[in-house]
Amino acid sequence: MRILVTNDDGITSAGLMELAKAAKELGEVWVVAPATQCSAMSQRISVFGEIVIKHETDFPVEGVNAYSITGTPADCVKVATMSILPETPDVVFSGINNGYNVGIDIMYSGTIGAAKEALVRGIPAIAFSNSMNGNFEVIREKLVPIAKDLLTRPIEKYELWNVNFPGCPLSELKGILEDRLPEGRSYYETDYIPTENPDGTITLTVAGEPCLEAGEGSDTLAVVNNYISIGKVRSGVLKDGVFV
């Protein structure tokens, strides 16, 4: 199996390293990730200027073909399939994101955006996320068996798997909840704190509090209660592999 690994946190992120290591247990791994932090870019692509590709010869996961590009997460999938990989990958793994991709946040997520770009190109995709600055104990134990299982399951060509891991220690993991639906609000409810400047402008400081209460059956309720959440995300413009 040829696996393309990408993310939105950038080529140096710890989550990307963990995902590349896990993917190595499943097949041949190619990493193509943004050169810089690209969170909340959704499925944005570059339409002007230039994109620079760098072969990351010192990538810390041995046996992985790694490249960074000066583009977005969705660009990574496009560039990888059109200009880097010798053949189309069998699957795209996106993540492991530093922060949950649950609720309305999936609309903005670059992690999900890269996975959706894979669907546009007819490639199955799985998005993986962890709690913000969470440890990787649960991921190191559970990601590979979950990925193996999901890769054997039928899924529509306009759908991707969305897997969120709680950042708790393995000893506190309560289990896995499937068929989770996105919560009807963001995990971090954004607020803006205004400051008036001497020149008459106003500076807004972005702030937010985590959502600790959520509806039954939701992805958010699963992760805040130390369950792994598994659900599906649909591409809004694809059905049966064609545009509608």
Side-chain angles (χ1 to χ4, degrees), residues 24-47:
K24 277 185 61 179
E25 299 186 36
L26 302 172
E28 173 189 322
V29 178
W30 293 72
V31 169
V32 181
T36 58
Q37 168 61 248
C38 288
S39 291
M41 287 199 173
S42 189
Q43 203 171 339
R44 172 185 168 183
I45 59 170
S46 301
V47 294

Side-chain angles (χ1 to χ4, degrees), residues 40-124:
M41 287 199 173
S42 189
Q43 203 171 339
R44 172 185 168 183
I45 59 170
S46 301
V47 294
F48 300 108
E50 300 173 337
I51 293 176
V52 177
I53 301 171
K54 179 184 177 184
H55 188 193
E56 300 286 345
T57 55
D58 58 349
F59 191 72
V61 182
E62 187 177 352
V64 169
N65 302 291
Y67 297 81
S68 64
I69 72 165
T70 56
T72 69
D75 282 334
C76 289
V77 177
K78 290 191 68 175
V79 169
T81 55
M82 297 174 66
S83 300
I84 297 178
L85 272 66
E87 296 179 33
T88 301
D90 298 297
V91 65
V92 170
F93 286 175
S94 186
I96 299 166
N97 193 64
N98 183 28
Y100 296 133
N101 275 306
V102 295
I104 292 176
D105 293 338
I106 64 176
M107 297 173 59
Y108 310 111
S109 167
T111 303
I112 299 292
K116 284 185 176 181
E117 186 63 31
L119 299 187
V120 170
R121 299 180 178 280
I123 306 168

Side-chain angles (χ1 to χ4, degrees), residues 34-227:
T36 58
Q37 168 61 248
C38 288
S39 291
M41 287 199 173
S42 189
Q43 203 171 339
R44 172 185 168 183
I45 59 170
S46 301
V47 294
F48 300 108
E50 300 173 337
I51 293 176
V52 177
I53 301 171
K54 179 184 177 184
H55 188 193
E56 300 286 345
T57 55
D58 58 349
F59 191 72
V61 182
E62 187 177 352
V64 169
N65 302 291
Y67 297 81
S68 64
I69 72 165
T70 56
T72 69
D75 282 334
C76 289
V77 177
K78 290 191 68 175
V79 169
T81 55
M82 297 174 66
S83 300
I84 297 178
L85 272 66
E87 296 179 33
T88 301
D90 298 297
V91 65
V92 170
F93 286 175
S94 186
I96 299 166
N97 193 64
N98 183 28
Y100 296 133
N101 275 306
V102 295
I104 292 176
D105 293 338
I106 64 176
M107 297 173 59
Y108 310 111
S109 167
T111 303
I112 299 292
K116 284 185 176 181
E117 186 63 31
L119 299 187
V120 170
R121 299 180 178 280
I123 306 168
I126 306 177
F128 299 96
S129 302
N130 193 20
S131 67
M132 186 74 72
N133 301 319
N135 70 58
F136 294 103
E137 285 187 24
V138 173
I139 287 168
R140 289 168 182 160
E141 183 75 16
K142 300 295 184 180
L143 189 149
V144 170
I146 286 174
K148 284 182 178 179
D149 179 37
L150 295 182
L151 289 171
T152 66
R153 297 192 196 182
I155 189 169
E156 299 290 350
K157 292 182 179 180
Y158 54 86
E159 294 177 324
L160 62 95
W161 293 108
N162 186 30
V163 182
N164 283 271
F165 296 93
C168 62
L170 183 60
S171 60
E172 297 178 12
L173 178 69
K174 294 181 180 177
I176 301 173
L177 294 177
E178 301 198 36
D179 301 319
R180 297 300 94 185
L181 297 175
E183 171 63 23
R185 56 178 173 166
S186 295
Y187 179 71
Y188 283 100
E189 291 291 347
T190 302
D191 193 10
Y192 301 106
I193 302 172
T195 301
E196 294 187 11
N197 302 314
D199 62 358
T201 61
I202 296 175
T203 298
L204 298 178
T205 301
V206 182
E209 294 293 330
C211 171
L212 300 179
E213 297 181 2
E216 288 295 329
S218 71
D219 47 12
T220 301
L221 188 65
V223 292
V224 299
N225 285 298
N226 289 352
Y227 288 92

